Amino acid sequence: MPAAITRATVGTVHDPELDAGLDLPLVRRLAAHHFTKAQLVAIDVATVAAITLLFPLVITRQAPKVSGTAWDTAGWVAYTGAALATLLRRRLPRATLAAVLVIAVAALCLRAGGGMTFLVVMALYSVVTVSSRRASLVVTSLVASAILAANLVGGGEMVVPSAIGSVAFVLLGWLAGENTRASRAYASQQAERAAEQAAAAEAAQAEQVRRALADERAEIARELHDIVAHAMSVIAVRSGVARMVIDTDPEQAREALTIIETTTRRSLREMRLLVGVLRDAGDHAAELSPVPGLGDLDRLVATMAEAGVAGDVHIDGTARALPPAADLSAYRIVQEALTNVVRHAGPTRARVQIGYRSDEVSIEVTDDGPSGPGSPPGIPRTGRGHGLIGMRERAALFGGQLAAGPCAAGFRVEASLPTNSLHNSDIPATEGAR
């Protein structure tokens, strides 16, 4: 059964792209060829001339009912008029058919039709190609009936074969016209389908570009959030310290201002590089390198200590290199978690624990809660801010999970990044920054 289906499919489906490189049959080559108007007129003139001049020599004529010089002249005039009218079949198909059919019926009734039936078939063909299937069937039935009746009225020794042949020839003209009409309709449908597919492809491409731009904007927003939130948290804490001790301990105030200056310069440099990427479409991978990763956690914790959050880093298992995108995402998760500690609980103490397992890398950041004078214990953190959302998205990008919630008097952020597929990932480092 599958073989039979395959053979049937091959025999009925034609691929224009495949047919273009093949030597097509003559009929299909002629059907696919686009003739000019001058060529079509020349074909019609040659065909009509051949019918008019050669038909009386090839087909045996019966004795007409009416004879005489006047009748013969009238017959040739009518014959010539029908032939000339047939040349208008492409521009005025229905009027041409009506005129030729009237002359043909009159001639056949007088047994002087000659090649009139051929002219009727040519006009009928043109009508069928521009009519609906139902209308063409009605017209063909009327034409066939009129030709049959005219042959029967004309009579003669060959009335039966002449009538049958004329009707068969009319049906053949209808079949040829219907085939042409169906081919044109099919070509039009194919063109419409191709246009719809092109429009759909264009819309899909526009949607893909829109999504890419949206993803790019989200990536830039997250990077800016990481840079600005971290810097502003440090600046807010140290500026508050400087304000409180500027009169009593100028040295400590000077130290706080130095930290603010260093943090500001570093953040401005990172933002300048990021804005440079937005302004220039070139490759800034080298300019933005090196990309931070888990190996930079000690420097990150030292920076947080300047903001009043003392911390330490613990490594469980054997540290190993991760793909740049995953390494950057893990670093950003820790950075955002510590920034939240500075924002909500500082000054306090935080712990960063990184666990390297065979199939995943785990991240845990906990803090002891507010410890400053006058700070209420356990400040609620609802997890609705952009920071926690960004951390969850970074973890989900690599198929991981992130959980955040209160822990004793403080807060805990736990994340896991599967490593069984990270080394086979094609996600670039910039994607991991999301």
Side-chain angles (χ1 to χ4, degrees):
M1 181 63 70
I5 296 176
T6 302
R7 287 195 296 269
T9 303
V10 172
T12 56
V13 177
H14 302 287
D15 189 344
E17 295 183 358
L18 296 178
D19 291 347
L22 300 178
D23 187 13
L24 298 178
L26 177 61
V27 175
R28 293 191 60 189
R29 288 204 304 271
L30 291 176
H33 182 73
H34 296 283
F35 294 95
T36 63
K37 291 184 178 180
Q39 290 174 336
L40 293 174
V41 172
I43 293 173
D44 284 349
V45 170
T47 304
V48 171
I51 294 174
T52 305
L53 299 177
L54 299 179
F55 185 85
L57 302 177
V58 177
I59 303 299
T60 302
R61 298 184 61 186
Q62 301 184 67
K65 284 187 174 181
V66 181
S67 61
T69 303
W71 282 104
D72 291 341
T73 302
W76 277 106
V77 170
Y79 205 0
T80 304
L84 294 177
T86 305
L87 298 178
L88 301 176
R89 66 187 183 90
R90 299 183 186 276
R91 302 183 64 179
L92 303 170
R94 296 178 178 85
T96 299
L97 177 61
V100 174
L101 182 61
V102 170
I103 298 174
V105 168
L108 291 174
C109 288
L110 298 175
R111 285 205 301 269
M116 285 292 188
T117 304
F118 289 88
L119 300 180
V120 172
V121 170
M122 291 181 63
L124 176 64
Y125 168 87
S126 298
V127 171
V128 172
T129 57
V130 297
S131 303
S132 64
R133 179 173 299 177
R134 179 177 297 179
S136 65
L137 287 173
V138 173
V139 172
T140 302
S141 300
L142 294 176
V143 171
S145 300
I147 295 296
L148 176 62
N151 276 277
L152 296 178
V153 170
E157 299 178 357
M158 303 178 62
V159 60
V160 175
S162 178
I164 295 176
S166 298
V167 172
F169 197 49
V170 169
L171 296 180
L172 183 62
W174 169 82
L175 183 61
E178 175 63 21
N179 180 70
T180 301
R181 185 200 63 80
S183 298
R184 291 175 181 175
Y186 175 78
S188 177
Q189 292 174 357
Q190 290 295 97
E192 292 178 359
R193 183 176 301 176
E196 292 176 357
Q197 292 176 349
E202 184 177 356
Q205 183 178 6
E207 177 66 16
Q208 185 177 4
V209 171
R210 188 192 65 79
R211 290 182 180 178
L213 292 176
D215 292 342
E216 191 70 17
R217 287 194 296 268
E219 175 185 347
I220 294 169
R222 290 162 189 159
E223 284 298 316
L224 285 175
H225 176 273
D226 289 335
I227 295 172
V228 175
H230 170 63
M232 292 298 102
S233 297
V234 174
I235 291 172
V237 172
R238 301 312 297 180
S239 61
V241 172
R243 179 180 57 81
M244 289 186 293
V245 302
I246 191 170
D247 296 327
T248 59
D249 192 349
E251 185 64 27
Q252 186 177 358
R254 187 178 298 107
E255 178 183 357
L257 293 175
T258 301
I259 294 173
I260 292 174
E261 180 184 7
T262 303
T263 303
T264 303
R265 291 182 182 277
R266 183 171 60 246
S267 300
L268 286 176
R269 179 179 177 276
E270 293 180 1
M271 292 180 65
R272 189 179 300 113
L273 293 176
L274 184 59
V275 172
V277 173
L278 299 179
R279 290 179 176 176
D280 189 356
D283 186 5
H284 291 264
E287 182 181 357
L288 294 177
S289 63
V291 177
L294 294 180
D296 301 307
L297 289 182
D298 290 335
R299 180 170 58 85
L300 176 63
V301 170
T303 303
M304 292 298 175
E306 298 174 352
V309 177
D312 48 18
V313 179
H314 299 278
I315 304 296
D316 292 338
T318 303
R320 62 180 183 273
L322 299 177
D327 205 19
L328 175 61
S329 286
Y331 175 86
R332 292 301 192 196
I333 290 174
V334 176
Q335 182 187 43
E336 181 61 32
L338 292 177
T339 300
N340 285 340
V341 175
V342 173
R343 186 184 300 114
H344 296 283
T348 187
R349 185 171 185 82
R351 289 172 298 279
V352 179
Q353 186 166 340
I354 307 297
Y356 290 92
R357 299 181 178 84
S358 60
D359 57 349
E360 70 174 6
V361 173
S362 63
I363 301 170
E364 181 178 337
V365 180
T366 58
D367 64 82
D368 296 336
S371 60
S375 299
I379 297 177
R381 284 172 256 184
T382 60
R384 296 179 181 176
H386 295 290
L388 290 177
I389 294 175
M391 286 190 287
R392 288 192 178 94
E393 290 179 347
R394 290 186 179 94
L397 181 63
F398 297 93
Q401 297 179 345
L402 184 138
C407 175
F411 203 77
R412 174 187 295 164
V413 174
E414 294 179 299
S416 62
L417 299 179
T419 58
N420 52 1
S421 61
L422 288 182
H423 292 282
N424 297 327
S425 177
D426 294 330
I427 302 175
T430 54
E431 288 292 324
R434 296 182 185 182

